[in-house]
Amino acid sequence: MDPSGPVPAGPAPAVIGSQYNPGDIAWTLTSTALVWLMIPGVGYFYSGMARSKNALSLIMLSCCSIAVVTVQWFLFGYSLAFSKSGSRFIGNFENAFFRGVLDGPSMSSPNLPDIVFAIYQGMFAALTPALAVGAAAERGRILPTLVFVFLWTTFVYDFIACWTWSKNGWAVVMGGLDFAGGTPIHISSGAAALAYAIVLGKRSGDQKDFRPHSMSNVVIGTCFIWFGWFGLNGGSAFSANIHAVMACVVTNLAASIGGLTWVFMDFRYSRKLSVLGFCSGVVAGLVSITPGAGYVSPASAVAIGFLGSIACNMGVRLKHYLEYDDAFDVFAVHGVGGLVGNILTGVFAQASMASLGGPTKIRGGWLDRHWIQVAYQLADSAAGFSWSFGVTCLILIIMNRVPGLALRADLTQEHTGLDLSELGEAAYGHLEDKRTA
């Protein structure tokens, strides 16, 4: 044999990640982009509901939430929430700086690598504080708010996400059901918003002046949110299969029913078909279906969207009795909607729906004669609300005592508007030019 001849080819080296389903990865990455789009959508939704002099600051806060939480998630947030050797209460620093997060199987699905799961869940983490800070609109300083976002994600969101979705989390071990974020996203952001509104106090000025300045922005924001929610709920199936399809179906149904329900509830009082009412109802329906999106049938989704919208509509009226200034009704829509959705998941969850497309096994809710499930849902909801409200108050009180981190803008800044006083830029520059001319 000629030693200078060609060397026989050996087996080709394995390609990293080749053992995973490309379709599942593609769907989860697409869902990641959809959830990302929800965050500026929240900014536009809030900006439209604010006065024009504060519109840009709210869009800025939403976009900065992506940046701040992305850094926190890389540093240690993902590890605290989802490290595989964590405790039932919180994870550890095993995966800090994404160490060991690449091609190992994720805890969500053996068909999905860790790195895909990490970036997808990072969008959930970025969305949640963006929702919460809406309660402080038009009076909360921007730099302290960004510091709050970092701290809140660390001490509130990461803990609740660990309870709810980590394989070691106490709520998972107990048997709680939360498909896509009823407690980690909605109850936690609603409770944080309530705490923020109470600690910060009411906006200065006449309540009659606190009206939406741009319903177009509200509608655009709602469309982004509704569109992105297909990734929030459908992507939580972590597979491109019939389970994801059903999650999208019930999501769209609940949103539609919620929007129509809110419109007709408001019509009784105003005799007008409110655009703001429709947008609020859509979000209420989306929030309510989130914890049960992978567990309930389309018929149940109709009931959840209807009941969730009614509960959130009534929750909006609560702030007038309790006299707190939650600028955009974050607690009423996300806190109340998340609670109602969690409870109704305990009623309507079905094992047959959960097992679509794969061997996801649950015992179901009341429809499957699993009567204890509602108690599990209530325990999870109460723990999430209490932790978020209590720790948020603590963070805000401590921050307010730190020089340079005072939470509230002074009266001059509030009168001028946070766009010019904090950013030095305006959402509508041509209008500012006319005012100063």
Side-chain angles (χ1 to χ4, degrees), residues 355-390:
S355 62
L356 289 175
T360 303
K361 294 182 180 180
I362 64 170
R363 296 185 63 185
W366 284 7
L367 291 185
D368 284 353
R369 300 179 180 273
H370 187 221
W371 309 113
I372 195 65
Q373 190 61 52
V374 169
Y376 292 159
Q377 301 300 106
L378 285 170
D380 180 37
S381 301
F385 180 89
S386 301
W387 182 264
S388 180
F389 184 84

PDB file of all heavy atoms in Angstrom, residues 355-390:
ATOM      1  N   SER A 355     -52.196  16.991  26.650  1.00  0.00           N
ATOM      2  CA  SER A 355     -51.431  15.914  26.013  1.00  0.00           C
ATOM      3  C   SER A 355     -51.431  16.005  24.493  1.00  0.00           C
ATOM      4  O   SER A 355     -50.878  15.139  23.824  1.00  0.00           O
ATOM      5  CB  SER A 355     -51.989  14.551  26.439  1.00  0.00           C
ATOM      6  OG  SER A 355     -53.339  14.404  26.020  1.00  0.00           O
ATOM      7  N   LEU A 356     -52.009  17.059  23.934  1.00  0.00           N
ATOM      8  CA  LEU A 356     -51.995  17.216  22.477  1.00  0.00           C
ATOM      9  C   LEU A 356     -50.558  17.351  21.976  1.00  0.00           C
ATOM     10  O   LEU A 356     -49.800  18.188  22.439  1.00  0.00           O
ATOM     11  CB  LEU A 356     -52.784  18.464  22.065  1.00  0.00           C
ATOM     12  CG  LEU A 356     -54.304  18.408  22.208  1.00  0.00           C
ATOM     13  CD1 LEU A 356     -54.907  19.774  21.882  1.00  0.00           C
ATOM     14  CD2 LEU A 356     -54.899  17.350  21.293  1.00  0.00           C
ATOM     15  N   GLY A 357     -50.176  16.527  21.043  1.00  0.00           N
ATOM     16  CA  GLY A 357     -48.869  16.649  20.424  1.00  0.00           C
ATOM     17  C   GLY A 357     -47.718  16.106  21.242  1.00  0.00           C
ATOM     18  O   GLY A 357     -46.572  16.185  20.820  1.00  0.00           O
ATOM     19  N   GLY A 358     -47.970  15.576  22.431  1.00  0.00           N
ATOM     20  CA  GLY A 358     -46.861  15.067  23.233  1.00  0.00           C
ATOM     21  C   GLY A 358     -47.334  14.556  24.575  1.00  0.00           C
ATOM     22  O   GLY A 358     -48.480  14.771  24.965  1.00  0.00           O
ATOM     23  N   PRO A 359     -46.450  13.910  25.308  1.00  0.00           N
ATOM     24  CA  PRO A 359     -46.832  13.262  26.559  1.00  0.00           C
ATOM     25  C   PRO A 359     -46.818  14.187  27.769  1.00  0.00           C
ATOM     26  O   PRO A 359     -46.227  13.875  28.795  1.00  0.00           O
ATOM     27  CB  PRO A 359     -45.769  12.162  26.702  1.00  0.00           C
ATOM     28  CG  PRO A 359     -44.545  12.762  26.068  1.00  0.00           C
ATOM     29  CD  PRO A 359     -45.050  13.624  24.935  1.00  0.00           C
ATOM     30  N   THR A 360     -47.418  15.373  27.637  1.00  0.00           N
ATOM     31  CA  THR A 360     -47.544  16.262  28.784  1.00  0.00           C
ATOM     32  C   THR A 360     -48.684  15.749  29.664  1.00  0.00           C
ATOM     33  O   THR A 360     -49.824  15.689  29.220  1.00  0.00           O
ATOM     34  CB  THR A 360     -47.837  17.707  28.334  1.00  0.00           C
ATOM     35  OG1 THR A 360     -46.811  18.134  27.449  1.00  0.00           O
ATOM     36  CG2 THR A 360     -47.915  18.642  29.524  1.00  0.00           C
ATOM     37  N   LYS A 361     -48.364  15.388  30.876  1.00  0.00           N
ATOM     38  CA  LYS A 361     -49.373  14.751  31.724  1.00  0.00           C
ATOM     39  C   LYS A 361     -49.722  15.641  32.912  1.00  0.00           C
ATOM     40  O   LYS A 361     -48.860  16.051  33.679  1.00  0.00           O
ATOM     41  CB  LYS A 361     -48.862  13.395  32.220  1.00  0.00           C
ATOM     42  CG  LYS A 361     -48.690  12.377  31.108  1.00  0.00           C
ATOM     43  CD  LYS A 361     -48.239  11.031  31.645  1.00  0.00           C
ATOM     44  CE  LYS A 361     -48.076  10.011  30.515  1.00  0.00           C
ATOM     45  NZ  LYS A 361     -47.626   8.689  31.005  1.00  0.00           N
ATOM     46  N   ILE A 362     -50.994  15.967  33.017  1.00  0.00           N
ATOM     47  CA  ILE A 362     -51.514  16.662  34.185  1.00  0.00           C
ATOM     48  C   ILE A 362     -52.781  15.932  34.617  1.00  0.00           C
ATOM     49  O   ILE A 362     -53.345  15.135  33.862  1.00  0.00           O
ATOM     50  CB  ILE A 362     -51.843  18.137  33.881  1.00  0.00           C
ATOM     51  CG1 ILE A 362     -52.964  18.235  32.839  1.00  0.00           C
ATOM     52  CG2 ILE A 362     -50.600  18.888  33.416  1.00  0.00           C
ATOM     53  CD1 ILE A 362     -53.516  19.627  32.663  1.00  0.00           C
ATOM     54  N   ARG A 363     -53.230  16.208  35.801  1.00  0.00           N
ATOM     55  CA  ARG A 363     -54.458  15.566  36.274  1.00  0.00           C
ATOM     56  C   ARG A 363     -55.695  16.372  35.935  1.00  0.00           C
ATOM     57  O   ARG A 363     -56.824  15.927  36.156  1.00  0.00           O
ATOM     58  CB  ARG A 363     -54.363  15.343  37.789  1.00  0.00           C
ATOM     59  CG  ARG A 363     -53.248  14.375  38.189  1.00  0.00           C
ATOM     60  CD  ARG A 363     -53.269  14.093  39.669  1.00  0.00           C
ATOM     61  NE  ARG A 363     -54.513  13.428  40.076  1.00  0.00           N
ATOM     62  CZ  ARG A 363     -54.834  13.147  41.340  1.00  0.00           C
ATOM     63  NH1 ARG A 363     -53.981  13.481  42.311  1.00  0.00           N
ATOM     64  NH2 ARG A 363     -55.973  12.566  41.629  1.00  0.00           N
ATOM     65  N   GLY A 364     -55.490  17.573  35.378  1.00  0.00           N
ATOM     66  CA  GLY A 364     -56.621  18.391  34.980  1.00  0.00           C
ATOM     67  C   GLY A 364     -57.208  19.173  36.144  1.00  0.00           C
ATOM     68  O   GLY A 364     -56.666  19.200  37.252  1.00  0.00           O
ATOM     69  N   GLY A 365     -58.328  19.830  35.858  1.00  0.00           N
ATOM     70  CA  GLY A 365     -59.014  20.634  36.869  1.00  0.00           C
ATOM     71  C   GLY A 365     -60.371  20.059  37.197  1.00  0.00           C
ATOM     72  O   GLY A 365     -60.589  18.845  37.135  1.00  0.00           O
ATOM     73  N   TRP A 366     -61.303  20.945  37.491  1.00  0.00           N
ATOM     74  CA  TRP A 366     -62.631  20.478  37.896  1.00  0.00           C
ATOM     75  C   TRP A 366     -63.345  19.706  36.788  1.00  0.00           C
ATOM     76  O   TRP A 366     -64.131  18.806  37.080  1.00  0.00           O
ATOM     77  CB  TRP A 366     -63.472  21.665  38.343  1.00  0.00           C
ATOM     78  CG  TRP A 366     -63.090  22.165  39.716  1.00  0.00           C
ATOM     79  CD1 TRP A 366     -62.030  21.756  40.470  1.00  0.00           C
ATOM     80  CD2 TRP A 366     -63.774  23.160  40.475  1.00  0.00           C
ATOM     81  NE1 TRP A 366     -61.997  22.434  41.655  1.00  0.00           N
ATOM     82  CE2 TRP A 366     -63.057  23.307  41.698  1.00  0.00           C
ATOM     83  CE3 TRP A 366     -64.897  23.948  40.261  1.00  0.00           C
ATOM     84  CZ2 TRP A 366     -63.449  24.212  42.685  1.00  0.00           C
ATOM     85  CZ3 TRP A 366     -65.290  24.848  41.236  1.00  0.00           C
ATOM     86  CH2 TRP A 366     -64.580  24.965  42.439  1.00  0.00           C
ATOM     87  N   LEU A 367     -63.097  20.069  35.535  1.00  0.00           N
ATOM     88  CA  LEU A 367     -63.742  19.321  34.452  1.00  0.00           C
ATOM     89  C   LEU A 367     -63.302  17.865  34.433  1.00  0.00           C
ATOM     90  O   LEU A 367     -64.029  16.993  33.944  1.00  0.00           O
ATOM     91  CB  LEU A 367     -63.436  19.972  33.099  1.00  0.00           C
ATOM     92  CG  LEU A 367     -64.072  21.335  32.817  1.00  0.00           C
ATOM     93  CD1 LEU A 367     -63.775  21.774  31.390  1.00  0.00           C
ATOM     94  CD2 LEU A 367     -65.580  21.316  33.053  1.00  0.00           C
ATOM     95  N   ASP A 368     -62.112  17.600  34.953  1.00  0.00           N
ATOM     96  CA  ASP A 368     -61.613  16.223  35.056  1.00  0.00           C
ATOM     97  C   ASP A 368     -61.788  15.653  36.468  1.00  0.00           C
ATOM     98  O   ASP A 368     -61.158  14.654  36.831  1.00  0.00           O
ATOM     99  CB  ASP A 368     -60.123  16.175  34.671  1.00  0.00           C
ATOM    100  CG  ASP A 368     -59.904  16.276  33.173  1.00  0.00           C
ATOM    101  OD1 ASP A 368     -60.903  16.241  32.431  1.00  0.00           O
ATOM    102  OD2 ASP A 368     -58.739  16.399  32.740  1.00  0.00           O
ATOM    103  N   ARG A 369     -62.625  16.335  37.260  1.00  0.00           N
ATOM    104  CA  ARG A 369     -62.927  15.906  38.635  1.00  0.00           C
ATOM    105  C   ARG A 369     -61.687  15.916  39.544  1.00  0.00           C
ATOM    106  O   ARG A 369     -61.601  15.134  40.491  1.00  0.00           O
ATOM    107  CB  ARG A 369     -63.581  14.515  38.644  1.00  0.00           C
ATOM    108  CG  ARG A 369     -64.884  14.466  37.869  1.00  0.00           C
ATOM    109  CD  ARG A 369     -65.490  13.072  37.888  1.00  0.00           C
ATOM    110  NE  ARG A 369     -66.738  13.036  37.141  1.00  0.00           N
ATOM    111  CZ  ARG A 369     -67.941  13.328  37.646  1.00  0.00           C
ATOM    112  NH1 ARG A 369     -68.040  13.677  38.920  1.00  0.00           N
ATOM    113  NH2 ARG A 369     -69.011  13.260  36.903  1.00  0.00           N
ATOM    114  N   HIS A 370     -60.765  16.779  39.235  1.00  0.00           N
ATOM    115  CA  HIS A 370     -59.597  16.954  40.105  1.00  0.00           C
ATOM    116  C   HIS A 370     -59.845  18.218  40.934  1.00  0.00           C
ATOM    117  O   HIS A 370     -59.398  19.319  40.615  1.00  0.00           O
ATOM    118  CB  HIS A 370     -58.327  17.077  39.254  1.00  0.00           C
ATOM    119  CG  HIS A 370     -57.072  17.100  40.072  1.00  0.00           C
ATOM    120  ND1 HIS A 370     -56.020  17.938  39.789  1.00  0.00           N
ATOM    121  CD2 HIS A 370     -56.694  16.395  41.168  1.00  0.00           C
ATOM    122  CE1 HIS A 370     -55.048  17.748  40.664  1.00  0.00           C
ATOM    123  NE2 HIS A 370     -55.438  16.814  41.520  1.00  0.00           N
ATOM    124  N   TRP A 371     -60.554  18.044  42.030  1.00  0.00           N
ATOM    125  CA  TRP A 371     -61.123  19.175  42.759  1.00  0.00           C
ATOM    126  C   TRP A 371     -60.079  20.021  43.479  1.00  0.00           C
ATOM    127  O   TRP A 371     -60.285  21.222  43.709  1.00  0.00           O
ATOM    128  CB  TRP A 371     -62.174  18.665  43.754  1.00  0.00           C
ATOM    129  CG  TRP A 371     -63.171  17.757  43.134  1.00  0.00           C
ATOM    130  CD1 TRP A 371     -63.336  16.427  43.374  1.00  0.00           C
ATOM    131  CD2 TRP A 371     -64.147  18.090  42.125  1.00  0.00           C
ATOM    132  NE1 TRP A 371     -64.349  15.897  42.594  1.00  0.00           N
ATOM    133  CE2 TRP A 371     -64.867  16.909  41.822  1.00  0.00           C
ATOM    134  CE3 TRP A 371     -64.491  19.262  41.454  1.00  0.00           C
ATOM    135  CZ2 TRP A 371     -65.892  16.849  40.891  1.00  0.00           C
ATOM    136  CZ3 TRP A 371     -65.517  19.226  40.523  1.00  0.00           C
ATOM    137  CH2 TRP A 371     -66.203  18.034  40.248  1.00  0.00           C
ATOM    138  N   ILE A 372     -58.955  19.455  43.843  1.00  0.00           N
ATOM    139  CA  ILE A 372     -57.943  20.172  44.603  1.00  0.00           C
ATOM    140  C   ILE A 372     -57.174  21.184  43.754  1.00  0.00           C
ATOM    141  O   ILE A 372     -56.476  22.053  44.283  1.00  0.00           O
ATOM    142  CB  ILE A 372     -56.949  19.163  45.254  1.00  0.00           C
ATOM    143  CG1 ILE A 372     -56.097  19.831  46.341  1.00  0.00           C
ATOM    144  CG2 ILE A 372     -56.036  18.563  44.171  1.00  0.00           C
ATOM    145  CD1 ILE A 372     -56.871  20.309  47.515  1.00  0.00           C
ATOM    146  N   GLN A 373     -57.339  21.115  42.411  1.00  0.00           N
ATOM    147  CA  GLN A 373     -56.522  21.950  41.539  1.00  0.00           C
ATOM    148  C   GLN A 373     -56.739  23.442  41.785  1.00  0.00           C
ATOM    149  O   GLN A 373     -55.786  24.228  41.737  1.00  0.00           O
ATOM    150  CB  GLN A 373     -56.793  21.628  40.073  1.00  0.00           C
ATOM    151  CG  GLN A 373     -55.809  22.269  39.102  1.00  0.00           C
ATOM    152  CD  GLN A 373     -54.381  21.805  39.348  1.00  0.00           C
ATOM    153  OE1 GLN A 373     -54.107  20.618  39.410  1.00  0.00           O
ATOM    154  NE2 GLN A 373     -53.458  22.752  39.498  1.00  0.00           N
ATOM    155  N   VAL A 374     -57.967  23.862  42.042  1.00  0.00           N
ATOM    156  CA  VAL A 374     -58.217  25.286  42.295  1.00  0.00           C
ATOM    157  C   VAL A 374     -57.472  25.746  43.540  1.00  0.00           C
ATOM    158  O   VAL A 374     -56.956  26.869  43.591  1.00  0.00           O
ATOM    159  CB  VAL A 374     -59.732  25.558  42.412  1.00  0.00           C
ATOM    160  CG1 VAL A 374     -59.986  26.968  42.949  1.00  0.00           C
ATOM    161  CG2 VAL A 374     -60.407  25.402  41.055  1.00  0.00           C
ATOM    162  N   ALA A 375     -57.377  24.893  44.555  1.00  0.00           N
ATOM    163  CA  ALA A 375     -56.618  25.245  45.761  1.00  0.00           C
ATOM    164  C   ALA A 375     -55.141  25.425  45.430  1.00  0.00           C
ATOM    165  O   ALA A 375     -54.488  26.343  45.955  1.00  0.00           O
ATOM    166  CB  ALA A 375     -56.802  24.177  46.833  1.00  0.00           C
ATOM    167  N   TYR A 376     -54.605  24.563  44.568  1.00  0.00           N
ATOM    168  CA  TYR A 376     -53.217  24.733  44.134  1.00  0.00           C
ATOM    169  C   TYR A 376     -53.034  26.079  43.429  1.00  0.00           C
ATOM    170  O   TYR A 376     -52.039  26.789  43.638  1.00  0.00           O
ATOM    171  CB  TYR A 376     -52.812  23.612  43.180  1.00  0.00           C
ATOM    172  CG  TYR A 376     -52.723  22.235  43.783  1.00  0.00           C
ATOM    173  CD1 TYR A 376     -52.788  21.092  42.973  1.00  0.00           C
ATOM    174  CD2 TYR A 376     -52.565  22.041  45.151  1.00  0.00           C
ATOM    175  CE1 TYR A 376     -52.699  19.811  43.504  1.00  0.00           C
ATOM    176  CE2 TYR A 376     -52.478  20.755  45.694  1.00  0.00           C
ATOM    177  CZ  TYR A 376     -52.546  19.658  44.865  1.00  0.00           C
ATOM    178  OH  TYR A 376     -52.469  18.393  45.392  1.00  0.00           O
ATOM    179  N   GLN A 377     -53.991  26.420  42.582  1.00  0.00           N
ATOM    180  CA  GLN A 377     -53.903  27.672  41.830  1.00  0.00           C
ATOM    181  C   GLN A 377     -53.971  28.882  42.763  1.00  0.00           C
ATOM    182  O   GLN A 377     -53.255  29.869  42.570  1.00  0.00           O
ATOM    183  CB  GLN A 377     -55.032  27.748  40.800  1.00  0.00           C
ATOM    184  CG  GLN A 377     -55.061  26.613  39.784  1.00  0.00           C
ATOM    185  CD  GLN A 377     -53.805  26.518  38.946  1.00  0.00           C
ATOM    186  OE1 GLN A 377     -52.979  25.631  39.136  1.00  0.00           O
ATOM    187  NE2 GLN A 377     -53.647  27.448  38.022  1.00  0.00           N
ATOM    188  N   LEU A 378     -54.832  28.806  43.756  1.00  0.00           N
ATOM    189  CA  LEU A 378     -54.948  29.901  44.712  1.00  0.00           C
ATOM    190  C   LEU A 378     -53.676  30.064  45.535  1.00  0.00           C
ATOM    191  O   LEU A 378     -53.233  31.184  45.804  1.00  0.00           O
ATOM    192  CB  LEU A 378     -56.142  29.658  45.635  1.00  0.00           C
ATOM    193  CG  LEU A 378     -57.530  29.896  45.020  1.00  0.00           C
ATOM    194  CD1 LEU A 378     -58.618  29.387  45.957  1.00  0.00           C
ATOM    195  CD2 LEU A 378     -57.737  31.380  44.724  1.00  0.00           C
ATOM    196  N   ALA A 379     -53.079  28.942  45.937  1.00  0.00           N
ATOM    197  CA  ALA A 379     -51.833  29.003  46.711  1.00  0.00           C
ATOM    198  C   ALA A 379     -50.728  29.658  45.897  1.00  0.00           C
ATOM    199  O   ALA A 379     -49.983  30.520  46.399  1.00  0.00           O
ATOM    200  CB  ALA A 379     -51.429  27.598  47.145  1.00  0.00           C
ATOM    201  N   ASP A 380     -50.602  29.261  44.636  1.00  0.00           N
ATOM    202  CA  ASP A 380     -49.590  29.835  43.752  1.00  0.00           C
ATOM    203  C   ASP A 380     -49.837  31.330  43.551  1.00  0.00           C
ATOM    204  O   ASP A 380     -48.904  32.144  43.620  1.00  0.00           O
ATOM    205  CB  ASP A 380     -49.623  29.089  42.416  1.00  0.00           C
ATOM    206  CG  ASP A 380     -48.590  29.615  41.430  1.00  0.00           C
ATOM    207  OD1 ASP A 380     -47.482  29.968  41.869  1.00  0.00           O
ATOM    208  OD2 ASP A 380     -48.894  29.660  40.227  1.00  0.00           O
ATOM    209  N   SER A 381     -51.088  31.698  43.328  1.00  0.00           N
ATOM    210  CA  SER A 381     -51.438  33.101  43.088  1.00  0.00           C
ATOM    211  C   SER A 381     -51.164  33.959  44.319  1.00  0.00           C
ATOM    212  O   SER A 381     -50.588  35.053  44.215  1.00  0.00           O
ATOM    213  CB  SER A 381     -52.916  33.214  42.703  1.00  0.00           C
ATOM    214  OG  SER A 381     -53.203  32.458  41.555  1.00  0.00           O
ATOM    215  N   ALA A 382     -51.577  33.472  45.495  1.00  0.00           N
ATOM    216  CA  ALA A 382     -51.390  34.241  46.728  1.00  0.00           C
ATOM    217  C   ALA A 382     -49.912  34.429  47.038  1.00  0.00           C
ATOM    218  O   ALA A 382     -49.472  35.519  47.441  1.00  0.00           O
ATOM    219  CB  ALA A 382     -52.096  33.540  47.887  1.00  0.00           C
ATOM    220  N   ALA A 383     -49.116  33.376  46.829  1.00  0.00           N
ATOM    221  CA  ALA A 383     -47.680  33.473  47.085  1.00  0.00           C
ATOM    222  C   ALA A 383     -47.027  34.464  46.137  1.00  0.00           C
ATOM    223  O   ALA A 383     -46.204  35.304  46.538  1.00  0.00           O
ATOM    224  CB  ALA A 383     -47.035  32.096  46.952  1.00  0.00           C
ATOM    225  N   GLY A 384     -47.380  34.385  44.841  1.00  0.00           N
ATOM    226  CA  GLY A 384     -46.801  35.293  43.855  1.00  0.00           C
ATOM    227  C   GLY A 384     -47.167  36.743  44.125  1.00  0.00           C
ATOM    228  O   GLY A 384     -46.315  37.636  44.057  1.00  0.00           O
ATOM    229  N   PHE A 385     -48.442  36.996  44.458  1.00  0.00           N
ATOM    230  CA  PHE A 385     -48.878  38.363  44.736  1.00  0.00           C
ATOM    231  C   PHE A 385     -48.182  38.902  45.981  1.00  0.00           C
ATOM    232  O   PHE A 385     -47.667  40.028  45.983  1.00  0.00           O
ATOM    233  CB  PHE A 385     -50.391  38.415  44.933  1.00  0.00           C
ATOM    234  CG  PHE A 385     -50.909  39.794  45.212  1.00  0.00           C
ATOM    235  CD1 PHE A 385     -51.275  40.628  44.171  1.00  0.00           C
ATOM    236  CD2 PHE A 385     -51.001  40.275  46.510  1.00  0.00           C
ATOM    237  CE1 PHE A 385     -51.734  41.920  44.424  1.00  0.00           C
ATOM    238  CE2 PHE A 385     -51.449  41.559  46.780  1.00  0.00           C
ATOM    239  CZ  PHE A 385     -51.822  42.378  45.733  1.00  0.00           C
ATOM    240  N   SER A 386     -48.152  38.115  47.046  1.00  0.00           N
ATOM    241  CA  SER A 386     -47.566  38.570  48.309  1.00  0.00           C
ATOM    242  C   SER A 386     -46.080  38.859  48.156  1.00  0.00           C
ATOM    243  O   SER A 386     -45.572  39.886  48.644  1.00  0.00           O
ATOM    244  CB  SER A 386     -47.789  37.521  49.403  1.00  0.00           C
ATOM    245  OG  SER A 386     -49.166  37.279  49.598  1.00  0.00           O
ATOM    246  N   TRP A 387     -45.366  37.956  47.489  1.00  0.00           N
ATOM    247  CA  TRP A 387     -43.927  38.153  47.299  1.00  0.00           C
ATOM    248  C   TRP A 387     -43.654  39.394  46.462  1.00  0.00           C
ATOM    249  O   TRP A 387     -42.816  40.228  46.821  1.00  0.00           O
ATOM    250  CB  TRP A 387     -43.312  36.918  46.646  1.00  0.00           C
ATOM    251  CG  TRP A 387     -41.822  37.030  46.459  1.00  0.00           C
ATOM    252  CD1 TRP A 387     -41.155  37.434  45.333  1.00  0.00           C
ATOM    253  CD2 TRP A 387     -40.807  36.767  47.443  1.00  0.00           C
ATOM    254  NE1 TRP A 387     -39.808  37.427  45.538  1.00  0.00           N
ATOM    255  CE2 TRP A 387     -39.556  37.019  46.828  1.00  0.00           C
ATOM    256  CE3 TRP A 387     -40.848  36.333  48.759  1.00  0.00           C
ATOM    257  CZ2 TRP A 387     -38.355  36.851  47.504  1.00  0.00           C
ATOM    258  CZ3 TRP A 387     -39.638  36.164  49.432  1.00  0.00           C
ATOM    259  CH2 TRP A 387     -38.413  36.424  48.801  1.00  0.00           C
ATOM    260  N   SER A 388     -44.372  39.547  45.359  1.00  0.00           N
ATOM    261  CA  SER A 388     -44.137  40.687  44.478  1.00  0.00           C
ATOM    262  C   SER A 388     -44.479  41.998  45.171  1.00  0.00           C
ATOM    263  O   SER A 388     -43.697  42.956  45.124  1.00  0.00           O
ATOM    264  CB  SER A 388     -44.955  40.540  43.193  1.00  0.00           C
ATOM    265  OG  SER A 388     -44.728  41.638  42.328  1.00  0.00           O
ATOM    266  N   PHE A 389     -45.617  42.066  45.831  1.00  0.00           N
ATOM    267  CA  PHE A 389     -46.035  43.306  46.476  1.00  0.00           C
ATOM    268  C   PHE A 389     -45.078  43.672  47.607  1.00  0.00           C
ATOM    269  O   PHE A 389     -44.616  44.816  47.710  1.00  0.00           O
ATOM    270  CB  PHE A 389     -47.459  43.169  47.018  1.00  0.00           C
ATOM    271  CG  PHE A 389     -48.003  44.444  47.613  1.00  0.00           C
ATOM    272  CD1 PHE A 389     -48.578  45.400  46.795  1.00  0.00           C
ATOM    273  CD2 PHE A 389     -47.933  44.684  48.981  1.00  0.00           C
ATOM    274  CE1 PHE A 389     -49.079  46.595  47.329  1.00  0.00           C
ATOM    275  CE2 PHE A 389     -48.417  45.862  49.526  1.00  0.00           C
ATOM    276  CZ  PHE A 389     -48.999  46.816  48.701  1.00  0.00           C
ATOM    277  N   GLY A 390     -44.754  42.707  48.448  1.00  0.00           N
ATOM    278  CA  GLY A 390     -43.899  42.980  49.593  1.00  0.00           C
ATOM    279  C   GLY A 390     -42.483  43.367  49.200  1.00  0.00           C
ATOM    280  O   GLY A 390     -41.927  44.364  49.701  1.00  0.00           O
TER     281      GLY A 390
END
